[in-house]
Amino acid sequence: MSVPTVPLGSVCDLIGGGTPSKDNALFYTGDIPWATVRDMRSDVISVTEFSITSDAVRASTTNILPAGAVVIATRVGLGKVCIVRRPTAINQDLRGVIPRDPDKLSSRYLFWWLKSVAHLIEAKGTGATVQGVKLPFVASLALPQPPLPEQERIVAILDEAFEGIDAATANAEKNVANALALQRTCLEHQLASSAATYPRMLLEDLCVPDRVITYGVVKLGDPKTDGVPCLRTSNVRWLNIDTRGVKLIDASLSNEYKRTVLRGGEVLVNVRGTLGGVAVVPQDMVGWNVSREVAVVPADPAIIDPKYLAYWIGTDTSQAWVTGMRTGAAYVGINIADLRNLPVPVLPLSHQRLVVERVGRVMAELAELVSISDRKLATLAEFKQSLLARAFSGELTTTAKVSAKPANDNVFATSEQVANVLAFLHQRHEAARREKTFGHVKAQKALHLIESVCGVELGRAPRKDTAGPNDFAHMLKAETWARRHGFFEFVERPGGGYDFKKLANHNKMLAAARSALKPIEGKVQRIADLILPLDSEQAEVLATVHAAWNNLILDGRNVTDNAILREAREDWHPDKLKIPEAKFRDAIRLIRKLGIVPDGSAKRVAHLQPKLL
């Protein structure tokens, strides 16, 4: 469907801003929010770094935008788009975009459209040091302007879709942060505690004879199209090297700094700017060089395992020491002379390699979690842009509300359908007068068994948790959907645990849920009847044993009762040891009796947190 377009400047006022004189400190003692690009951290500007007085407004070129106005960055931070929550003044780097006729153009619609063309604004930026766009260019942008009801329909679709996308994005970002935090916890436990009784040597005494700790190229200069790759602080991350954006330098410059031409096995440490980066040089980077912000530590493999050394420098204990050595006000760094005096506990090489092996297993698993979340974040970002492009090209028809979410091959992997499953499970328990046993734990285990035994994709990513194979974030989204629609919620009991509580629309929505679940009703009922006679602990143990059994098959390990027991109890979570071994053996027998023996087709249940060996 073709949508008529008009120049943005023909239907909107483009309001500029300014900065009150910084020489008058009283100007910045008022209660009028004054926004800069730094305040554009999210879609809504609700709090600003500075507030100004009415005198400041009168004495400068700033303007106050009304609450709900759209603001864009036209100089510095190009592409950023926000809405101001309350009347807010702006500086000269921003422009307010105000519809002249609100009955013909919705501000919210304008906000989403500007989001969709942000890449065009960013690409048009010019300037040697500060990128900006000219006002005529902004005014000439072609704005699709359908009738107001159609604008409001598009806004409703985008608001709902982006709420779900943002929730998924926040969850993925949290997963990355949690995985990195667990990596640090693992390092600290494995290295700092195990090294407490061993003698320490200075970092400079752990180097290859005739080589010293130093840094490389003094100045990178202009980027080259060919030459020697040169690693910078942006490339040296925490325990890994990211080769994106690597600059090339002349071979002659690299030869001039040949002391830092990499040979493989060296440990790199960021000593300027972004501290904390540390990594081991792999063999495929032999011949590369480093910038002056990166120190090269030529670790002597006869004394110290390079990976062990990198792990030690990456511990919170070492990082605290490095932080304490910081110098400089504007350009923070640590001196090479100080770095050479870093104390390192030196275990026997065989012990170092054992630590590296143990830590490496956990790091690899957590790195995979980070990688999965990073891929998910990239997919979500791409989907956002795709959805925005469709919204303003006439592709979101009146039926598009259903499809304004990432495609999923299974219609039951949505929050609505998972909520339907939970309501159905509760109804089966209620009919048998067992509803008091149906709380969070049993609900989680039922969802896991529906996926692992019946092969129904519900969109879970199960992890090893204290109560078994869980994905609380997944179930929480379903609960949030159910609560928002007046279906049901789980409420905490005074003595612990949760009860299923029906809300105002429960009965009406339950009938619709039963209809929606018709294709899988038999499978859901099978699991409901399977766990119905069990208490929470029995359901927890059953699901844990089933998941552990499936993991063993996926790992290609020998599946014996003792191996299942070890995987489900000793190697699962410390709290599992509180449950008698006999209950796990009972679960193994029950799985065989029910004919639900795993075959390796279910999802792997990964560690929520590393085992601290």
Side-chain angles (χ1 to χ4, degrees), residues 401-469:
K401 191 168 183 178
V402 175
S403 61
K405 293 180 179 178
N408 195 304
D409 292 338
N410 195 308
V411 296
F412 301 103
T414 68
S415 295
E416 179 179 356
Q417 290 286 32
V418 174
N420 290 340
V421 169
L422 293 171
F424 180 89
L425 291 166
H426 174 263
Q427 185 192 39
R428 296 292 296 180
H429 279 71
E430 188 177 48
R433 297 183 178 180
R434 294 279 295 167
E435 68 272 18
K436 290 298 182 184
T437 70
F438 187 74
H440 267 168
V441 172
K442 211 170 184 184
Q444 273 280 351
K445 302 306 141 327
L447 293 178
H448 181 79
L449 292 170
I450 289 169
E451 282 197 325
S452 61
V453 173
C454 300
V456 177
E457 176 56 60
L458 298 178
R460 297 171 70 257
R463 296 285 181 264
K464 291 184 176 181
D465 190 54
T466 177

Side-chain angles (χ1 to χ4, degrees), residues 22-98:
K22 294 292 182 71
D23 293 333
N24 190 340
L26 292 177
F27 280 170
Y28 293 87
T29 60
D31 57 3
I32 300 172
W34 179 72
T36 70
V37 170
R38 289 195 299 272
D39 299 307
M40 301 179 78
R41 300 183 185 92
S42 64
D43 288 346
V44 178
I45 298 178
S46 54
V47 178
T48 57
E49 184 178 358
F50 298 101
S51 294
I52 60 176
T53 63
S54 55
D55 287 341
V57 175
R58 286 190 292 269
S60 68
T61 57
T62 189
N63 285 291
I64 300 177
L65 306 181
V70 180
V71 59
I72 63 173
T74 55
R75 183 178 176 273
V76 185
L78 290 182
K80 290 188 175 183
V81 185
C82 293
I83 290 177
V84 293
R85 188 181 297 280
R86 56 192 180 122
T88 302
I90 59 175
N91 81 342
Q92 65 275 12
D93 297 332
L94 310 181
R95 287 273 173 179
V97 187
I98 313 294

Side-chain angles (χ1 to χ4, degrees), residues 299-537:
D300 186 349
I303 307 173
I304 196 86
D305 184 289
K307 284 188 177 180
Y308 170 83
L309 179 56
Y311 284 161
W312 171 254
I313 296 174
T315 62
D316 289 343
T317 298
S318 284
Q319 290 292 308
W321 186 92
V322 170
T323 300
M325 295 295 108
R326 288 184 302 181
T327 61
Y331 194 49
V332 177
I334 57 175
N335 295 322
I336 290 289
D338 291 329
L339 182 64
R340 290 170 181 158
N341 290 323
L342 172 69
V344 180
V346 182
L347 287 64
L349 271 173
S350 59
H351 291 192
Q352 293 179 32
R353 289 165 186 153
L354 181 61
V355 169
V356 167
E357 181 183 354
R358 287 174 174 173
V359 173
R361 286 200 303 267
V362 177
M363 290 296 180
E365 189 166 341
L366 290 172
E368 178 60 22
L369 293 181
V370 172
S371 176
I372 291 170
S373 294
D374 282 343
R375 290 197 298 270
K376 184 176 182 180
L377 287 169
T379 300
L380 290 169
E382 290 174 6
F383 179 64
K384 275 186 173 183
Q385 287 307 117
S386 171
L387 184 56
L388 286 170
R390 291 169 55 205
F392 299 103
S393 62
E395 293 183 36
L396 291 190
T397 64
T398 54
T399 60
K401 191 168 183 178
V402 175
S403 61
K405 293 180 179 178
N408 195 304
D409 292 338
N410 195 308
V411 296
F412 301 103
T414 68
S415 295
E416 179 179 356
Q417 290 286 32
V418 174
N420 290 340
V421 169
L422 293 171
F424 180 89
L425 291 166
H426 174 263
Q427 185 192 39
R428 296 292 296 180
H429 279 71
E430 188 177 48
R433 297 183 178 180
R434 294 279 295 167
E435 68 272 18
K436 290 298 182 184
T437 70
F438 187 74
H440 267 168
V441 172
K442 211 170 184 184
Q444 273 280 351
K445 302 306 141 327
L447 293 178
H448 181 79
L449 292 170
I450 289 169
E451 282 197 325
S452 61
V453 173
C454 300
V456 177
E457 176 56 60
L458 298 178
R460 297 171 70 257
R463 296 285 181 264
K464 291 184 176 181
D465 190 54
T466 177
N470 289 339
D471 186 347
F472 281 117
H474 171 268
M475 195 168 79
L476 182 59
K477 290 177 186 176
E479 288 183 53
T480 301
W481 185 94
R483 186 183 304 108
R484 183 178 300 155
H485 290 79
F487 198 178
F488 64 82
E489 65 180 348
F490 284 89
V491 295
E492 191 169 3
R493 303 182 196 125
Y498 287 81
D499 285 323
F500 183 100
K501 179 184 177 182
K502 300 176 184 177
L503 298 180
N505 299 330
H506 180 271
N507 292 341
K508 179 177 68 175
M509 295 188 70
L510 181 61
R514 293 293 298 266
S515 176
L517 294 177
K518 276 294 183 185
I520 61 168
E521 182 174 358
K523 295 178 179 180
V524 177
Q525 182 171 322
R526 179 188 181 192
I527 299 304
D529 294 345
L530 187 156
I531 68 168
L532 202 151
L534 307 180
D535 60 28
S536 293
E537 185 178 79

Side-chain angles (χ1 to χ4, degrees), residues 3-6 10-11 101 104-106 109 143-148 151:
V3 180
T5 63
V6 295
S10 70
V11 292
D101 188 347
K104 292 184 179 179
L105 181 59
S106 157
Y109 173 85
L143 167 69
Q145 192 177 12
L148 191 62
Q151 294 177 33

Side-chain angles (χ1 to χ4, degrees), residues 159-425:
D159 281 349
E160 181 175 345
F162 271 69
E163 180 183 0
I165 295 171
D166 289 344
T169 299
N171 186 56
E173 290 172 342
K174 184 178 180 181
N175 287 342
V176 171
N178 287 343
L180 293 175
L182 287 171
Q183 284 185 336
R184 291 189 177 278
T185 300
C186 173
L187 275 186
E188 196 66 22
H189 178 89
Q190 281 292 320
L191 281 86
S193 59
S194 64
T197 58
Y198 287 90
R200 303 197 175 205
M201 295 177 62
L202 299 182
L203 189 59
E204 65 177 351
D205 295 329
L206 298 173
C207 294
V208 173
D210 301 326
R211 294 186 66 192
V212 297
I213 302 169
T214 187
Y215 55 81
V217 179
V218 171
K219 187 177 180 181
L220 288 178
D222 296 329
K224 305 295 179 182
T225 56
D226 58 7
V228 176
C230 188
L231 295 172
R232 298 172 291 163
T233 54
S234 58
N235 304 118
V236 181
R237 304 295 184 86
W238 190 70
L239 302 179
N240 74 85
I241 295 176
D242 184 349
T243 59
R244 290 175 294 185
V246 170
K247 282 194 172 184
L248 303 179
I249 59 173
D250 287 335
S252 59
L253 182 58
S254 179
N255 188 54
E256 182 181 345
Y257 288 89
K258 60 184 178 182
R259 64 182 183 278
T260 51
V261 172
L262 303 178
R263 307 180 188 183
E266 295 100 332
V267 176
L268 304 182
V269 183
N270 288 347
V271 292
R272 291 286 185 275
T274 308
L275 303 181
V278 56
V280 177
V281 178
Q283 290 301 315
D284 59 3
M285 291 184 186
V286 170
W288 290 28
N289 215 310
V290 300
S291 72
R292 66 179 304 183
E293 293 85 10
V294 181
V296 178
V297 182
D300 186 349
I303 307 173
I304 196 86
D305 184 289
K307 284 188 177 180
Y308 170 83
L309 179 56
Y311 284 161
W312 171 254
I313 296 174
T315 62
D316 289 343
T317 298
S318 284
Q319 290 292 308
W321 186 92
V322 170
T323 300
M325 295 295 108
R326 288 184 302 181
T327 61
Y331 194 49
V332 177
I334 57 175
N335 295 322
I336 290 289
D338 291 329
L339 182 64
R340 290 170 181 158
N341 290 323
L342 172 69
V344 180
V346 182
L347 287 64
L349 271 173
S350 59
H351 291 192
Q352 293 179 32
R353 289 165 186 153
L354 181 61
V355 169
V356 167
E357 181 183 354
R358 287 174 174 173
V359 173
R361 286 200 303 267
V362 177
M363 290 296 180
E365 189 166 341
L366 290 172
E368 178 60 22
L369 293 181
V370 172
S371 176
I372 291 170
S373 294
D374 282 343
R375 290 197 298 270
K376 184 176 182 180
L377 287 169
T379 300
L380 290 169
E382 290 174 6
F383 179 64
K384 275 186 173 183
Q385 287 307 117
S386 171
L387 184 56
L388 286 170
R390 291 169 55 205
F392 299 103
S393 62
E395 293 183 36
L396 291 190
T397 64
T398 54
T399 60
K401 191 168 183 178
V402 175
S403 61
K405 293 180 179 178
N408 195 304
D409 292 338
N410 195 308
V411 296
F412 301 103
T414 68
S415 295
E416 179 179 356
Q417 290 286 32
V418 174
N420 290 340
V421 169
L422 293 171
F424 180 89
L425 291 166

